[in-house]
Amino acid sequence: SSGEKMRNTFGRQALPMVWDYAECCPFSGSTGNWTACVDWVVEAVGNSPSGAAGYVLQKSAVFTVNADMATVVSTDPPYYDNIGYADLSDFFYVWLRRSLSDIYPDLFKTLLTPKADELISSPYRHGGDKHKAQKFFEAGLGQAFHRMREMQPPEYPMTVFYAFKQSEETAEENPGGGHPGRQPPTGVGLPARLLTDSESGKMPDPLMPAPLMPDPQSQAIHISSTGWETMLEGLIRSGFSVDGTWPMRTELGTRMIGSGTNALASSIVLSCRPRPAKAPLATRREFLAALKRELPDALRHLQAGNIAPVDLAQAAIGPGMAIFTRYSKVMEADGSSMTVRQALGLINQMLDEVLAEQEGEFDPDTRWAVAWFEQFGMEDGPFGEAETLSRAKNTAVNGLVEAGIIAARAGKVRLLKRDELPTTWKRGSAFQADDRRAEGPSPPAHWEVVQHLIRALDTGGEVAAGDMLRRLGSVGEAARDLAYRLYNVCERKKWAAEALAYNSLVIAWPEISKLARGALTPPQTQEEMFK
């Protein structure tokens, strides 16, 4: 918490015990008082654009959806055991039941929230067996999407909000099948066979596809999938295709789970429509050709929309899966069908290739710095390798030293850290890219620009970074593309702190650009700040 004030109890998806109390007066007029908390709710309700009446039913999306009624579906599916919705709801339910049970008797007819049919992967509801919990969740999610497919009219898209970060994990790394701590376990990811009614223990339903379970003959594969894979498998098996993707900035950077982390800043909205019955087959070669032809433009469009680097890989899934799901099947060379896992791997590979190709737009010093950073990070490396790499990138080690990019001594070379950069940056202040003369100073390397902009953002905020970008002129515009590339490197290398710096620069870029253009004049006095 940023201060001692009245706050909502549910600050994150948990209710930890707090051993101290905020020392504030709830009846005062200071920041964080009780009235202010109520006023926020009143203001939100008062400004709600909806004037139509709505109603809510507590039903199972797996078994009781009315397929005879055409309905537009918009859903935010659960993520394995990431959130124990029903267990957490009990904290509020017991209070609401005391005051509202006479008004909503059907909703509050049980002592606690119903939990048996809740579609999450909760091992303790399955005798502590994580694999049974996974099967329950995955089968139920597929059945829920099948129900939605039956009721979704073809004229409108179904929208699926997804804010779960991709992760890969082998079963050997985590034999229990689940991620450490509160992270959601990944799916089994094994070749599947149909689970018969006698095995599932449920009465057959002619409208339902049979749930899936791993083939015991394939247990040796032992590779788990991602939350994305499970969700997409459910969509595709239910007859949906993905026809669009929109990243939406739905998460506050000040939320507790996002503080100082690389947590997602956006939700990814997938637009899904029923796949045509006559969707064509495609070979792996045809799928790859379509990816190479269409995905680069889609990724550039996402970057132009200033999507945060931490969200780019998730957002790229949308246009990639739009290509994959336009076909009824994508056939491998051996005659087998390409899996969602394999398609996601190819989409991620294409993302890496597109970001790598953007290096051609950078100057030689920057291309050297990116290659060195990818290999050594900010640590020391041999001088001989630096010299060899400099010849390949058409630059020189002594020139990189003079430019203030590296330090070289005692046979070792390393990139300068941001706290080692000169506070008075002559190349950045003297060079105007839009008005240079042949005899004028050389432009700074894009690597320099990014590092100095990040330091300016850290020390002086958006105003300082905007002023620097204004003085740099058009040479600063490539900094955002480089930040995407460097974030991608940090993500692969698991350098979280460094990745956060590049992600923060891209997120702040719209405001920095406005300040650089003079479109937004920063407030000068305290009175102006609060007008």
Side-chain angles (χ1 to χ4, degrees):
S1 180
S2 59
E4 295 190 351
K5 60 185 72 171
M6 303 289 293
R7 287 295 303 271
N8 51 306
T9 304
F10 201 55
R12 54 183 176 180
Q13 291 91 356
L15 288 169
M17 185 64 71
V18 178
W19 299 103
D20 203 355
Y21 296 94
E23 296 178 0
C24 63
C25 177
F27 307 109
S28 72
S30 61
T31 301
N33 65 81
W34 175 263
T35 305
C37 295
V38 176
D39 287 344
W40 275 111
V41 178
V42 172
E43 188 173 348
V45 173
N47 286 282
S48 174
S50 175
Y55 62 95
V56 176
L57 299 176
Q58 188 183 63
K59 300 288 185 180
S60 168
V62 176
F63 301 112
T64 57
V65 173
N66 183 2
D68 297 329
M69 181 176 64
T71 307
V72 177
V73 178
S74 183
T75 181
D76 183 1
Y79 315 132
Y80 285 88
D81 66 345
N82 197 31
I83 302 174
Y85 299 98
D87 289 326
L88 291 168
S89 296
D90 282 341
F91 178 88
F92 307 95
Y93 182 87
V94 294
W95 295 97
L96 294 170
R97 187 172 183 269
R98 292 173 68 92
S99 57
L100 296 174
S101 57
D102 292 339
I103 302 173
Y104 299 107
D106 291 338
L107 188 62
F108 293 100
K109 61 187 177 184
T110 57
L111 290 176
L112 295 173
T113 55
K115 298 177 178 65
D117 292 333
E118 183 183 19
L119 195 55
I120 64 170
S121 177
S122 182
Y124 85 87
R125 296 179 194 167
H126 300 271
D129 192 321
K130 291 182 178 179
H131 293 294
K132 284 185 179 179
Q134 285 181 215
K135 294 174 190 175
F136 170 80
F137 171 77
E138 291 167 6
L141 189 64
Q143 291 170 348
F145 281 136
H146 184 78
R147 289 293 196 199
M148 296 173 194
R149 169 68 177 82
E150 291 177 336
M151 62 191 295
Q152 179 73 27
E155 298 85 2
Y156 300 96
M158 179 178 80
T159 49
V160 180
F161 290 71
Y162 212 66
F164 180 66
K165 194 173 183 181
Q166 286 192 82
S167 61
E168 293 290 340
E169 179 185 78
T170 62
E172 286 79 0
E173 292 170 348
N174 194 0
H179 286 234
R182 289 295 303 162
Q183 293 298 318
T186 52
V188 289
L190 301 171
R193 63 181 176 85
L194 294 180
L195 180 64
T196 65
D197 298 311
S198 60
E199 291 171 316
S200 67
K202 295 181 179 177
M203 294 296 292
D205 184 344
L207 295 177
M208 288 305 201
L212 298 173
M213 70 175 292
D215 187 340
Q217 297 179 353
S218 303
Q219 294 292 329
I221 295 178
H222 258 327
I223 297 179
S224 63
S225 72
T226 67
W228 272 98
E229 181 182 345
T230 304
M231 187 267 290
L232 290 167
E233 283 279 14
L235 281 172
I236 294 169
R237 290 180 183 273
S238 303
F240 280 106
S241 64
V242 178
D243 70 348
T245 179
W246 309 304
M248 294 181 66
R249 187 59 52 83
T250 57
E251 312 298 331
L252 284 174
T254 54
R255 69 197 192 282
M256 293 181 71
I257 195 172
S259 180
T261 68
N262 282 337
L264 293 180
S266 306
S267 293
I268 308 302
V269 185
L270 296 176
S271 170
C272 307
R273 292 182 186 271
R275 187 169 57 250
K278 296 182 179 180
L281 288 169
T283 64
R284 178 188 178 93
R285 182 185 296 273
E286 289 171 332
F287 173 58
L288 281 172
L291 275 181
K292 290 181 181 293
R293 185 172 59 250
E294 300 176 34
L295 196 57
D297 286 341
L299 293 175
R300 292 187 186 96
H301 183 69
L302 288 170
Q303 287 179 301
N306 215 67
I307 184 171
V310 71
D311 299 328
L312 185 61
Q314 322 300 316
I317 290 174
M321 292 309 297
I323 298 170
F324 180 71
T325 57
R326 74 171 58 146
Y327 307 112
S328 58
K329 286 183 180 180
V330 175
M331 308 303 296
E332 297 281 8
D334 61 0
S336 63
S337 298
M338 181 180 288
T339 64
V340 170
R341 164 179 283 272
Q342 292 167 326
L344 286 173
L346 292 173
I347 292 167
N348 286 330
Q349 180 181 326
M350 184 62 61
L351 172 62
D352 288 341
E353 290 179 8
V354 171
L355 293 176
E357 286 175 3
Q358 291 179 352
E359 285 188 27
E361 302 172 5
F362 304 138
D363 58 272
D365 287 0
T366 296
R367 292 199 295 272
W368 182 95
V370 171
W372 188 264
F373 179 70
E374 196 163 7
Q375 186 172 359
F376 297 103
M378 307 304 288
E379 303 300 323
D380 289 338
F383 183 90
E385 290 190 29
E387 186 70 24
T388 301
L389 181 62
S390 68
R391 287 195 292 268
K393 299 297 182 181
N394 194 29
T395 184
V397 172
N398 62 333
L400 293 163
V401 173
E402 292 175 4
I405 295 175
I406 65 172
R409 59 183 304 176
K412 297 292 184 181
V413 172
R414 67 172 177 83
L415 292 164
L416 288 177
K417 298 176 181 178
R418 280 183 288 277
D419 57 8
E420 297 175 310
L421 298 176
T423 54
T424 55
W425 187 38
K426 293 182 179 180
R427 278 159 63 91
S429 59
F431 180 73
Q432 289 288 337
D434 298 322
D435 185 28
R436 65 179 183 267
R437 295 181 297 276
E439 67 276 9
S442 62
H446 297 123
W447 175 272
E448 291 181 83
V449 172
V450 166
Q451 304 307 327
H452 280 277
L453 280 172
I454 291 175
R455 192 177 69 168
L457 184 64
D458 288 342
T459 58
E462 294 166 348
V463 173
D467 182 60
M468 179 174 288
L469 185 61
R470 177 185 59 78
R471 290 185 280 111
L472 284 163
S474 61
V475 75
E477 292 302 317
R480 185 179 64 175
D481 291 342
L482 179 56
Y484 276 110
R485 175 72 176 114
L486 295 175
Y487 177 87
N488 184 253
V489 173
C490 294
E491 184 77 356
R492 290 202 314 271
K493 299 286 189 178
K494 302 187 184 303
W495 298 335
E498 192 71 10
L500 194 62
Y502 301 116
N503 190 62
S504 299
L505 179 63
V506 174
I507 290 174
W509 195 264
E511 202 71 12
I512 293 172
S513 297
K514 287 180 183 177
L515 289 163
R517 295 193 303 267
L520 182 64
T521 303
Q524 301 299 320
T525 65
Q526 190 172 17
E527 290 78 7
E528 290 180 3
M529 289 178 67
F530 291 97
K531 279 185 179 179

